[in-house]
Amino acid sequence: QVQLVESGGGLVQAGGSLRLSCAASQRSSVPHIMGWFRQAPGKEREFVARIGWSGISTYYAKSVKGRFTISRDNAENTIYLQMNMLTPEDTAVYYCNAELRGTVPGPDWGQGTQVTVSA
């Protein structure tokens, strides 16, 4: 079981930026594959980005590619999501996840952090 704690959400104007963080704790080791999902009001939770252990292998949803950057610091057991050029369509609760398989989430979720982008 992995405990995940997100932070960094908030209110930002369209075109602005935010950086989310997710601290992971696990008894045995740091999760190899970690990622971000989001859920907008009235919509299903959707995949945003994932990152492999080395930090070199990354994959993004088409809707965020070129605007969002996922990264990790294994020494701090933390992953990040740098979000630039935000639009109101990015408004959602953002969740951290561990041990994804492709774009399918693993069983452990954080509590989520709200991101609101105003027009």
Side-chain angles (χ1 to χ4, degrees), residues 1-116:
Q1 184 177 2
V2 181
Q3 292 182 329
L4 304 166
V5 180
E6 302 97 333
S7 61
L11 173 64
V12 64
Q13 289 186 333
S17 299
L18 281 174
R19 188 192 194 203
L20 306 183
S21 300
C22 171
S25 63
Q26 182 172 278
R27 289 183 179 179
S28 57
S29 63
V30 177
H32 283 200
I33 308 296
M34 297 190 68
W36 291 93
F37 290 74
R38 67 185 182 185
Q39 187 166 18
K43 295 186 177 180
E44 294 187 353
R45 195 170 297 188
E46 65 176 1
F47 167 81
V48 175
R50 72 166 190 259
I51 187 167
W53 168 258
S54 68
I56 297 175
S57 176
T58 59
Y59 183 74
Y60 298 91
K62 289 182 180 179
S63 59
V64 306
K65 191 173 183 180
R67 301 188 297 122
F68 291 10
T69 302
I70 189 170
S71 60
R72 68 189 295 164
D73 182 341
N74 290 336
E76 297 295 328
N77 295 348
T78 300
I79 67 167
Y80 304 96
L81 187 67
Q82 177 66 44
M83 306 184 294
N84 299 327
M85 295 183 289
L86 286 162
T87 74
E89 288 68 37
D90 295 315
T91 294
V93 178
Y94 283 71
Y95 296 91
C96 183
N97 187 262
E99 304 301 5
L100 294 76
R101 292 181 181 271
T103 60
V104 177
D108 300 308
W109 295 96
Q111 83 286 354
T113 185
Q114 176 71 47
V115 171
T116 303

